Amino acid sequence: MTNPIPDDYPKLTPALCVDGANDAIAFYTKVLGATERMRISDGGKVGHAELEFDDSLVMISDEYAEIGVVGPKTLGGTAVSLNVYVEDVDATFAAALAAGATELRPVSEQFYGDRAGQFLDPWGHRWGVASRVEELDHDELARRAAEAMGD
């Protein structure tokens, strides 16, 4: 019997749509360290591709407006953020900006133990990148969160 949840796919996989998937795949592999798992081309467009981020997977395609598949630029923005842990958040963030991303929040130390920042990629998707710099137990995290939130 076929497994209804494939062993080589996570249970939840985000799918991104962009106007210019070939360039976006190059950006995600170069800047964020993704590995291209597969790509199905459709007359120069990307009909479907899969990018691995270690134990995570993101699907990506070009826009197909005729069937309602459009990216954030066509929609006028995004309500979704994708977050990636990286080895060196400062280097990754600098590489993203050099490759055409727009800074949304500069890299800085966060109360929850990460050094993190956020950028908008050239296709309109919001990415948070972070490196863990400090391990916190639950009590310390709760204390810092209350302090940061003014409670």
Side-chain angles (χ1 to χ4, degrees):
M1 182 172 141
T2 301
N3 183 358
I5 302 170
D7 292 333
D8 57 345
Y9 283 84
K11 200 163 202 168
L12 176 67
T13 304
L16 304 180
C17 177
V18 298
D19 182 16
N22 288 307
D23 291 337
I25 291 167
F27 178 95
Y28 300 144
T29 56
K30 179 181 177 187
V31 172
L32 297 174
T35 302
E36 185 175 330
R37 180 193 235 184
M38 60 92 71
R39 185 186 311 206
I40 299 170
S41 295
D42 177 19
K45 292 174 68 172
V46 175
H48 177 83
E50 296 177 1
L51 302 177
E52 294 177 327
F53 294 82
D54 293 329
D55 61 350
S56 301
L57 186 69
V58 173
M59 296 176 181
I60 186 169
S61 75
D62 270 297
E63 290 187 331
Y64 289 86
E66 64 277 10
I67 59 171
V69 178
V70 294
K73 284 189 171 181
T74 298
L75 293 171
T78 181
V80 175
S81 293
L82 297 132
N83 297 285
V84 181
Y85 277 103
V86 296
E87 291 290 325
D88 184 341
V89 68
D90 293 285
T92 299
F93 198 80
L97 298 182
T102 303
E103 180 180 295
L104 296 176
R105 191 180 73 228
V107 174
S108 63
E109 303 290 323
Q110 303 298 316
F111 73 86
Y112 45 86
D114 289 354
R115 184 162 171 75
Q118 192 173 75
F119 62 82
L120 194 67
D121 74 25
W123 302 274
H125 291 285
R126 184 181 311 124
W127 291 85
V129 289
S131 296
R132 178 64 43 95
V133 295
E134 184 179 15
E135 295 295 336
L136 305 175
D137 65 28
H138 178 75
D139 292 338
E140 180 62 12
L141 179 58
R143 184 191 71 72
R144 288 185 184 185
E147 184 179 289
M149 305 302 168
D151 292 340

